[in-house]
Amino acid sequence: MPMKWISVLLLLQLSGHFSPGSCGKVLVWPTEYSHWINMKTILDALVQRGHEVTVLTSSASILVDPNKPSAIQFEIFPTSVTKDDFEDILMRLTSKWTYMPKYTFWTYFSKIQDNIREYFDCFQKLCKDAVLNKKLMRKLQESRFDVVLADPSGPCGRPTTLFELMRKADIWFIRTYWDFQFPRPLLPHFQFVGGLHCKPAKPLPKEMEDFVQSSGENGIVVFSLGSMVTNMTEERANVIASALAQVPQKVIWRYDGKKPDTLGPNTRLYKWIPQNDLLGHSKAKAFITHGGANGIYEAIYHGIPMVGLPMFADQPDNIAHMKTKGAAVRLDFNTISSTDLLNALKTVINDPSYKENAMKLSRIHHDQPVKPLDRAVFWIEFVMRHKGAKHLRPAALDLTWFQYHSLDVIGFLLACVASATFVITKCCLLCYQKFAKPGKKKKRE
Amino acid sequence: MPMKWISVLLLLQLSGHFSPGSCGKVLVWPTEYSHWINMKTILDALVQRGHEVTVLTSSASILVDPNKPSAIQFEIFPTSVTKDDFEDILMRLTSKWTYMPKYTFWTYFSKIQDNIREYFDCFQKLCKDAVLNKKLMRKLQESRFDVVLADPSGPCGRPTTLFELMRKADIWFIRTYWDFQFPRPLLPHFQFVGGLHCKPAKPLPKEMEDFVQSSGENGIVVFSLGSMVTNMTEERANVIASALAQVPQKVIWRYDGKKPDTLGPNTRLYKWIPQNDLLGHSKAKAFITHGGANGIYEAIYHGIPMVGLPMFADQPDNIAHMKTKGAAVRLDFNTISSTDLLNALKTVINDPSYKENAMKLSRIHHDQPVKPLDRAVFWIEFVMRHKGAKHLRPAALDLTWFQYHSLDVIGFLLACVASATFVITKCCLLCYQKFAKPGKKKKRE
């Protein structure tokens, strides 16, 4: 079954001493940016239910914000990688991935393979600095955690392989749901918790609310390329700004670069925006997005049609889903003209089918027997209560690759057929030599 | 994906006019005995939530009990089949199925095929008497139902095939869960609602409670072969009774036949027993069962180990599951001796692993984010609210069988290979004739 690795959180059961009803000890191995934003929602919920949550992360970690007080405990281990190095590596990868013209898959892949290698080398270094740190490992072992919540996009483990690590997981949290996914077979230990971070909109800051209200009946367009991309080339910025200048809506654009020359009076730039609160605002008409899973789910939650400018990783795939479901128009960030973007915006705002489809996805999202965040918390607590979830584990996970593909069975059957063919041929030849040859000899004689 | 047809309930959306928040109109096509007992739990819950439930059934139906007042409405259509005929056909089939020595599958099947044909002929007759009844059909159409809840073990439909009928279902209710099933891939429109009829035990009738209490520390054994089998041959009854006479427990046996000569003073016969209340009694030690899904779930719910005497249909398969999960011992009803049954009972009562495994299944069963009955009700209401559940429907259901097995793709590829082979061979032959043959000719010359 093909899996998007980028949208998975893993849950592994440890040999803790959790007794039902009591509070558990959760160890977390996170990754950065949007994955952390998403995971933190779960961790906050666990803390609120009285569990003890410890996030294991390196001194190079970007996610740790010492200014924000948090009930989550951080176990920060020293590493030779600096925060700046780490950030640079991530930025180089995403930037190259984004700005590269779209070649065929293999050309494309070969162009960024150096950056991908650099990325995984860095993660391996961080992992080694954790697991070879004897003091840290002893401390973790003595803490007797009940469960590990790990993000496999920055894999680390017990000496192991990625496959081994993922195979051991009791529950897989998939960060989508059937409002997003196409229906397909799933395994019973998959929990689809897409949109678990979504919540009703809070009021906007005064200045922003005034700007939004000034849009009148035309409403607003929200524009963000996610937590990793806050900048772009001047040329791209001007193309985009000139398109935005032509729409009757007011535009709120998350952008941290030089102010584009073509920026219209209807567009305001912000270094950071309260994206969920803007998308949940009654004046929100459209969302220009890079197609990250978090942003798409905020749009689904509030029923807002999208213009997709996918950049890297799972983003093109995410936007393809939204396009097929009739809730988004997809454009190529590197090649669009102002007219393309303008037309796309006009389409999703003025063609009522886009709003209808976005609302349909929203209705499906809100109509679940259990909310995604509650389901995630339930299964983490289940794994702690029952010391795993073995009853959901498919036996296929314990097969070797050749057993999984029935190669042992096929091999045995082929060997049987080959042996039978060999024996039958030998017998026939023998018979022929015994009976047919003398006949021929007689004829010749 | 192989499916046990016997454990499925279907949900089809009709073109009703259900508005969210209001109460819906549910049309039900049931089957008899244990399937009805199970389905009625859902119908009672729907009625309690204010929905209008109409059960469409024939005048030959066994399930309709005019003495029991019910908020469920019955639409009873006339049929030439009499109640006695119908009951006889079902009894002849199950009796032959049960008492036949276990041959290989095909011999076994050929022996009961006449009875199976008789069973399906009868269902076809009932179905025809419903769908060809113009007055009835008009009345149903005018009633504008929102949803149909159908049991596909007695299939009936628009002119259609069983496959077509099942393919149209928006939701499939599977009457098991992962406490019972082995983990395997499933489709998103499958809802596993096994054990939805289970509930905490109610107090027993005074006479029965006194008998149960008289068992002291040894406790009781509950014995029932289900709602369809209340009788057996005298020989089998004596074999079983003499085994039961030798256990220190008190035995409560649901049996409607002649009192066996070997019946011990510790065993009491009842025409009907409050099975769930007995299994939920603190004195219950073991359950001797035919392995019907309802009974097995009552045992799982209350954590009672089982001795399985599977008779027909899905029962051998059900008991095989419980045996593999270490909560049951399986015996062959037709061939067991008193010693076999006695040893099996001693094993499940005295070997603590059986109780432990039964309790483990019980804990898994009780620890679900939503109770099975609530989940069934939720999805019926979802189908009414959203006029279906198209977002869960796999595209594979709309493929023809040759598309599903990729025969069209394989065929096309094979045709390509064949054409290429043909063209290449022809070219080679041509080249050979042009260049090689003159060479040979030259040599000869």
Side-chain angles (χ1 to χ4, degrees), chain A residues 1 177-178 183-188 363-364 367-370 378-379 382 385-386 390-395, chain B residues 1 177-179 183-188 363-364 367-370 378-379 382 385-386 390-394:
Chain A
M1 194 179 301
Y177 179 62
W178 307 109
R184 59 188 176 83
L186 58 132
L187 286 168
R363 280 194 297 272
I364 291 168
D367 206 356
Q368 300 183 47
V370 182
F378 175 88
W379 284 107
F382 184 98
R385 272 196 295 273
H386 298 264
K390 295 282 171 291
H391 69 298
L392 300 179
R393 183 180 172 78
Chain B
M1 192 178 304
Y177 179 63
W178 308 107
D179 44 16
R184 59 189 175 82
L186 59 132
L187 286 168
R363 280 194 295 274
I364 290 168
D367 207 356
Q368 300 182 47
V370 182
F378 175 88
W379 284 107
F382 184 99
R385 273 196 294 275
H386 297 264
K390 295 283 170 290
H391 69 299
L392 300 178
R393 183 183 173 76

Side-chain angles (χ1 to χ4, degrees), chain A residues 220-271:
Chain A
I220 59 160
V221 171
V222 184
F223 179 15
S224 167
L225 297 177
S227 55
M228 293 186 83
V229 181
T230 52
N231 208 331
M232 60 181 76
T233 63
E234 218 169 302
E235 184 267 336
R236 287 290 88 194
N238 274 311
V239 164
I240 287 172
S242 86
L244 298 178
Q246 297 170 62
V247 295
Q249 282 77 27
K250 294 284 163 83
V251 183
I252 289 176
W253 181 0
R254 181 184 177 180
Y255 187 64
D256 198 16
K258 181 176 166 285
K259 188 180 155 185
D261 299 330
T262 56
L263 197 77
N266 69 332
T267 309
R268 278 200 196 165
L269 305 178
Y270 294 85
K271 284 193 183 178

Side-chain angles (χ1 to χ4, degrees), chain B residues 137-238:
Chain B
M137 285 299 115
R138 203 175 315 116
K139 190 178 169 189
L140 293 180
Q141 269 159 8
E142 281 164 6
S143 300
R144 305 188 80 83
F145 289 98
D146 297 295
V147 71
V148 173
L149 185 62
D151 187 327
S153 59
C156 181
R158 255 139 286 188
T160 185
T161 62
L162 176 61
F163 181 63
E164 187 67 23
L165 194 70
M166 297 178 87
R167 199 160 67 167
K168 276 183 183 160
D170 281 286
I171 302 282
W172 286 38
F173 288 138
I174 316 287
R175 288 167 53 202
T176 59
Y177 179 63
W178 308 107
D179 44 16
F180 177 105
Q181 286 279 0
F182 302 126
R184 59 189 175 82
L186 59 132
L187 286 168
H189 66 323
F190 284 13
Q191 292 298 329
F192 289 78
V193 292
L196 61 85
H197 66 291
C198 297
K199 46 186 179 238
K202 291 194 303 287
L204 297 173
K206 171 92 178 56
E207 175 270 335
M208 201 178 260
E209 177 67 29
D210 290 345
F211 180 60
V212 168
Q213 287 301 343
S214 73
S215 68
E217 272 193 7
N218 289 315
I220 59 161
V221 170
V222 184
F223 178 17
S224 166
L225 296 177
S227 54
M228 292 186 85
V229 181
T230 52
N231 208 331
M232 60 181 73
T233 62
E234 220 169 301
E235 185 267 337
R236 286 289 89 193
N238 273 311

Side-chain angles (χ1 to χ4, degrees), chain A residues 174-177 179 192-197 297 365 368 372 375:
Chain A
I174 315 287
R175 288 168 54 203
T176 59
Y177 179 62
D179 44 14
F192 289 79
V193 293
L196 60 85
H197 66 291
Y297 261 104
H365 182 82
Q368 300 183 47
R375 204 158 60 242

Side-chain angles (χ1 to χ4, degrees), chain B residues 39-198:
Chain B
M39 194 185 236
K40 194 169 173 294
T41 314
I42 304 178
L43 305 188
D44 286 339
L46 287 173
V47 163
Q48 216 172 358
R49 289 176 64 85
H51 299 294
E52 206 178 282
V53 176
T54 306
V55 174
L56 180 62
T57 192
S58 77
S59 56
S61 177
I62 303 153
L63 59 89
V64 183
D65 187 346
N67 298 321
K68 271 193 186 168
S70 169
I72 297 167
Q73 290 164 36
F74 287 90
E75 181 67 51
I76 298 171
F77 60 86
T79 175
S80 53
V81 183
T82 71
K83 207 170 204 156
D84 288 344
D85 286 347
F86 187 43
E87 213 161 357
D88 279 354
I89 288 168
L90 290 171
M91 284 304 151
R92 265 204 299 278
L93 172 65
T94 54
S95 167
K96 194 149 182 192
W97 209 334
T98 301
Y99 281 107
M100 234 171 30
K102 301 290 177 281
Y103 299 109
T104 63
F105 178 76
W106 287 113
T107 329
Y108 183 63
F109 189 76
S110 71
K111 298 257 172 197
I112 54 159
Q113 68 177 351
D114 286 346
N115 296 80
I116 286 184
R117 191 173 297 131
E118 193 181 41
Y119 168 87
F120 277 108
D121 281 350
C122 177
F123 265 106
Q124 197 176 12
K125 211 171 190 178
L126 292 177
C127 178
K128 274 190 180 167
D129 284 340
V131 295
L132 298 182
N133 182 334
K134 283 186 185 167
K135 205 177 137 196
L136 173 72
M137 285 299 115
R138 203 175 315 116
K139 190 178 169 189
L140 293 180
Q141 269 159 8
E142 281 164 6
S143 300
R144 305 188 80 83
F145 289 98
D146 297 295
V147 71
V148 173
L149 185 62
D151 187 327
S153 59
C156 181
R158 255 139 286 188
T160 185
T161 62
L162 176 61
F163 181 63
E164 187 67 23
L165 194 70
M166 297 178 87
R167 199 160 67 167
K168 276 183 183 160
D170 281 286
I171 302 282
W172 286 38
F173 288 138
I174 316 287
R175 288 167 53 202
T176 59
Y177 179 63
W178 308 107
D179 44 16
F180 177 105
Q181 286 279 0
F182 302 126
R184 59 189 175 82
L186 59 132
L187 286 168
H189 66 323
F190 284 13
Q191 292 298 329
F192 289 78
V193 292
L196 61 85
H197 66 291
C198 297

